[in-house]
């Protein structure tokens, strides 16, 4: 009882400290209990990770600038953390929920995330970031609506559906983790899921003549997917917090970690239709279906699901290039997105990042610029804050080395308010997907072959999309511009979860020498302390 009172007092103090800063912004409270539970997503009994008994977990629906108070009780038998794919955690990497920023929640204990969806809109998701828990569930959707006074560039839809799609293994996450720990890569996944179920697992009921919003996130481990709805066109309106030009597509490639929003008008005869997700660039092709059910339907789905692209890289590349920023639409603020002229800003640094798959000490590893990340004994953010050592901002080079792979707790230093050019280079035969925590970036170019300075002549410096996750095609490169306006310790990672687990990630330390709340919030009073930070103090209550 005494411990519960102490936790309650801590939360009250935390809320008071945040309220003093953002008294005008609403609060939303969530109590989540994380447990194991039996799930049967592909017809085989597995040990899944449930949140409040749900797989996938509860959806978070909020509005720009809302404060989210999420109390997570870990009733697993192992430490656990949640991270928030696409939430920028402005000035607040303390809440990012990655192993390099936070201590995991011990079994039987709780941690309260206190975060704000500052100046963001759009479609995102959360997921478990420790060990290989993402292969067991624990993920869910996040929607951030615009404030009522901010215009949205399309009429309100009649309904809003979240599609959490991705590949899945029949093996438990503990067995998959043991395979990786033993030095082997994972085989092809066993199937695809849509909202936690295999084919024919869900029905989405709609009314003829009305328009609905579908938010599609690829929460899988290894595979890009193609998404389509039989007989219906999809109008793209948003990707990861940015309104797009409203191009119409018959199907969309959604790569690992990416999120898209489309509007679909129910303009077909009243029947049932297939909703399809299929894997891209895999042999064999994996597929899952759900049903789009008109409320006045006169017939069930019949025949085979509509086919989609399979291994065509050029098709996917051309589609990616067609996705543009809506320059006249507002985003989280009333000023148009196009009022930020990213192409007129001089870059201050070029960083080239090449992925590789080295064998190190006889085991399969994955690397960035030859460095295969290994976790430190203390989360890097805490080690940096308490000056404990082990944080070397020069432990990963700015350019590919061409040498063999090696193990390192890799951190790249960067200056607050720098404007950088980052080129992801992929010399391998598989598509890559990269995510940057804490930021959105502008995807200014992508193409096959080797990047050179002359590639800049073909950059889109006017209306490329701003997002947080980007694909890099085989034997290709992708370039982006990013303004480093968010102080903190931020994870840059492969969204292929085996590659991330085996080292294809590092941390970007965006540093301001001015220790000011203007640049970064102080350490939370309820921060969990572990490793060499155990026993230290955060801030006085």
């Amino acid at each position: 009882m005494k411990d519960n009172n102490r936790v309650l007092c801590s939360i009250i103090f935390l809320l008071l400290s945040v309220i003093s800063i953002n008294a005008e912004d609403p609060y939303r409270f969530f109590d989540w209990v994380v447990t194991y539970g039996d799930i049967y997503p592909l017809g085989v009994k597995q040990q899944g990770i449930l949140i409040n008994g749900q797989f996938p977990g509860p959806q978070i629906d909020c509005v720009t600038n809302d404060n989210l108070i999420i109390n997570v009780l870990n009733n697993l038998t192992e430490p656990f953390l949640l991270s928030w794919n696409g939430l920028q955690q402005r000035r607040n990497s303390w809440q990012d929920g990655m192993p390099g920023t936070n201590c995991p929640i011990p079994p039987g204990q709780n941690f309260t995330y206190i975060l704000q969806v500052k100046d963001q809109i759009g479609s995102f998701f959360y997921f478990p970031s420790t060990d290989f828990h993402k292969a067991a569930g624990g993920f869910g959707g996040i929607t951030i609506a615009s404030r009522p006074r901010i215009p949205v560039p399309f009429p309100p839809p009649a309904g809003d559906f979240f599609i959490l799609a991705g590949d899945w293994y029949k093996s438990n996450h503990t067995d998959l983790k043991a395979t990786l720990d033993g030095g082997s890569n994972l085989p092809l996944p066993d199937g695809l899921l849509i909202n936690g179920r295999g084919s024919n697992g869900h029905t989405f009921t709609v009314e003829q003549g009305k328009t609905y919003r579908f938010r599609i996130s690829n929460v899988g481990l290894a595979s890009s997917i193609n998404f389509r709805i039989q007989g219906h066109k999809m109008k793209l309106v948003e990707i990861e917090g940015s309104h797009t030009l409203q191009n119409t597509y018959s199907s969309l490639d959604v790569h690992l970690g990416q999120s898209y929003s489309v509007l679909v008008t129910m303009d077909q005869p009243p029947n049932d239709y297939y909703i399809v997700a299929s894997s891209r660039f895999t042999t064999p092709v994996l597929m899952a279906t759900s049903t789009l059910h008109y409320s006045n339907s006169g017939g069930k789905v019949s025949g085979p699901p509509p086919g989609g692209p399979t291994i065509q890289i050029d098709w996917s590349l051309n589609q990616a290039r067609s996705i543009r920023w809506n320059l006249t639409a507002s985003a989280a603020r009333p000023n148009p997105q196009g009022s930020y002229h990213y192409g007129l800003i001089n870059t201050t640094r070029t960083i080239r990042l090449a992925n590789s798959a080295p064998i190190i000490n006889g085991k399969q590893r994955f690397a960035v610029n030859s460095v295969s990340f290994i976790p430190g004994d203390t989360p890097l953010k805490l080690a940096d804050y308490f000056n404990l050592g082990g944080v070397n901002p020069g432990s990963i080079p700015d350019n590919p080395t061409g040498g063999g792979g090696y193990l390192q707790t890799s951190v790249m230093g960067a200056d607050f308010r720098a404007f950088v050019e980052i080129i992801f280079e992929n010399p391998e035969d598989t598509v890559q997907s990269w995510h940057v925590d804490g930021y959105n970036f502008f995807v200014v170019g992508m193409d096959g072959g080797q990047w050179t300075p002359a590639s800049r002549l073909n950059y889109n410096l006017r209306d490329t999309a701003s997002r947080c996750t980007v694909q890099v095609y085989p034997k290709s490169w992708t370039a982006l511009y990013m303004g480093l306006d968010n102080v903190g310790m931020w994870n840059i990672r492969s969204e292929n979860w085996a590659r991330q687990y085996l080292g294809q990630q590092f941390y970007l330390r965006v540093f301001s020498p001015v220790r000011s709340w203007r640049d970064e919030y102080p350490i939370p009073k309820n921060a969990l302390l572990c490793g060499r930070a155990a026993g230290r103090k955060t801030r006085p209550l």
Side-chain angles (χ1 to χ4, degrees):
M1 188 69 178
K2 194 175 294 182
D3 288 342
N4 290 339
N5 289 336
R6 189 178 296 116
V7 169
L8 181 61
C9 288
S10 299
I11 293 172
I12 291 172
F13 276 113
L14 284 161
L15 292 179
L16 289 174
S17 65
V18 176
I19 289 170
S20 67
I21 301 170
N22 292 307
E24 75 281 4
D25 295 320
Y27 282 76
R28 297 179 189 264
F29 296 85
F30 304 85
D31 277 302
W32 288 356
V33 179
V34 181
T35 60
Y36 295 119
D38 292 339
I39 58 174
Y40 301 82
L42 291 176
V44 175
K45 180 179 177 180
Q46 293 177 256
Q47 182 188 68
I49 292 178
L50 314 180
I51 298 179
N52 291 353
Q54 300 177 41
F55 169 70
Q59 185 169 306
I60 294 176
D61 296 311
C62 57
V63 178
T64 300
N65 291 350
D66 280 357
N67 294 286
L68 308 183
I69 313 301
I70 307 170
N71 183 47
V72 179
L73 174 62
N74 176 18
N75 273 347
L76 306 181
T77 57
E78 51 194 327
F80 182 80
L81 264 181
L82 287 171
S83 190
W84 321 91
N85 212 72
L87 299 196
Q88 292 179 11
Q89 313 289 0
R90 304 296 302 176
R91 299 185 290 166
N92 201 17
S93 64
W94 301 108
Q95 305 292 342
D96 198 38
M98 290 300 293
T101 56
N102 296 86
C103 296
I105 307 168
Q109 297 188 30
N110 78 302
F111 176 73
T112 302
Y113 293 88
I114 301 178
L115 53 95
Q116 186 182 30
V117 289
K118 179 68 174 171
D119 292 336
Q120 286 192 265
I121 59 145
S123 311
F124 309 96
F125 63 91
Y126 60 86
F127 67 94
S129 59
T130 40
D131 286 334
F132 214 65
H133 289 145
K134 191 179 179 186
F139 47 75
I142 303 172
T143 72
I144 309 176
S146 295
R147 289 175 291 173
R149 62 180 178 271
I150 306 297
V152 175
F154 50 86
D160 195 314
F161 299 114
F162 217 120
I163 304 287
L164 296 167
D167 51 24
W168 192 259
Y169 289 88
K170 292 180 180 178
S171 300
N172 287 337
H173 76 279
T174 50
D175 296 330
L176 298 174
K177 178 177 178 292
T179 297
L180 296 171
D181 290 342
S184 299
N185 198 4
L186 299 181
L188 185 74
D190 296 300
L192 292 186
L193 304 183
I194 295 176
N195 290 354
R197 298 183 182 180
S199 287
N200 307 315
H202 284 281
T203 297
F204 299 87
T205 301
V206 297
E207 293 186 30
Q208 191 176 28
K210 294 188 176 180
T211 298
Y212 294 80
R213 182 173 185 168
F214 287 80
R215 304 172 190 261
I216 310 134
S217 290
N218 186 340
V219 296
L221 302 173
S223 308
S224 300
I225 63 170
N226 180 267
F227 180 85
R228 52 201 180 272
I229 300 177
Q230 183 182 26
H232 294 73
K233 300 292 187 181
M234 299 182 292
K235 182 184 290 184
L236 183 65
V237 294
E238 176 255 333
I239 56 168
E240 297 160 16
S242 293
H243 291 304
T244 63
L245 286 184
Q246 295 179 12
N247 297 332
T248 299
Y249 300 92
S250 297
S251 69
L252 271 175
D253 277 357
V254 185
H255 302 276
L256 287 166
Q258 293 183 338
S259 297
Y260 288 75
S261 279
V262 297
L263 298 179
V264 183
T265 299
M266 304 305 145
D267 55 4
Q268 298 300 303
N271 288 304
D272 289 359
Y273 297 88
Y274 283 110
I275 296 173
V276 184
S278 60
S279 62
R280 291 286 267 124
F281 321 117
T282 65
T283 303
V285 174
L286 307 174
M287 181 181 293
T289 62
S290 290
T291 301
L292 183 73
H293 171 70
Y294 279 45
S295 59
N296 58 340
S297 174
K300 301 293 186 183
V301 292
S302 61
T310 55
I311 60 172
Q312 302 92 329
I313 292 173
D314 286 348
W315 186 97
S316 188
L317 175 62
N318 289 332
Q319 183 180 86
R321 287 171 170 165
S322 73
I323 298 170
R324 302 296 179 92
W325 220 22
N326 187 334
L327 297 181
T328 61
S330 302
R333 295 172 178 260
N335 50 303
Q337 290 181 152
S339 62
Y340 182 74
H341 300 288
Y342 68 91
L344 300 180
I345 304 172
N346 292 326
T347 57
T348 56
R349 180 180 176 186
T350 295
I351 302 168
R352 295 169 51 210
L353 301 172
N355 48 271
S356 59
I359 302 297
I360 303 176
N361 299 329
K363 293 185 176 182
Q364 178 66 69
R365 297 288 301 184
F366 297 99
V368 188
N369 288 357
S370 301
V371 187
S372 186
F373 181 86
I374 52 172
D377 59 5
T378 303
L380 291 163
K381 183 64 180 171
L382 293 177
D384 199 31
Y385 178 80
F386 289 114
N387 295 315
L388 300 177
V391 180
N392 179 3
S395 49
I396 179 171
D398 277 17
N399 295 283
T401 67
Y406 59 95
L407 304 176
Q408 180 75 45
T409 305
S410 40
V411 179
M412 181 176 288
D415 295 330
F416 183 39
R417 296 200 176 98
F419 193 77
V420 299
E421 174 188 41
I422 299 178
I423 298 102
F424 290 109
E425 301 181 3
N426 179 16
E428 298 184 69
D429 293 325
T430 56
V431 66
Q432 305 291 314
S433 188
W434 288 93
H435 177 85
V436 180
D437 277 356
Y439 289 94
N440 265 31
F441 46 71
F442 294 94
V443 184
V444 293
M446 56 174 62
D447 207 347
Q450 178 66 46
W451 180 89
T452 69
S455 303
R456 297 184 178 121
L457 297 174
N458 294 316
Y459 280 3
N460 178 353
L461 299 182
R462 182 175 183 270
D463 66 348
T464 191
S466 170
R467 62 188 316 168
C468 60
T469 311
V470 69
Q471 71 274 22
V472 192
Y473 294 102
K475 307 292 186 181
S476 300
W477 57 267
T478 295
L480 56 91
Y481 281 178
M482 187 167 73
L484 301 183
D485 60 353
N486 197 12
V487 172
M489 187 77 71
W490 304 108
N491 188 238
I492 297 181
R493 63 178 175 270
S494 171
E495 286 287 342
N496 180 307
W497 219 240
R499 297 182 78 105
Q500 180 268 353
Y501 182 80
L502 292 180
Q504 194 171 309
Q505 62 169 307
F506 66 95
Y507 282 83
L508 184 71
R509 179 182 182 258
V510 181
F511 179 72
S512 171
V514 180
R515 299 269 181 169
S516 166
W517 284 28
R518 179 197 65 192
D519 296 339
E520 184 179 27
Y521 291 142
I523 187 171
K525 295 173 183 176
N526 71 329
L528 298 173
L529 302 179
C530 57
R532 288 175 293 127
R536 297 191 175 246
K537 303 295 183 183
T538 55
R539 291 183 288 146
L541 294 176

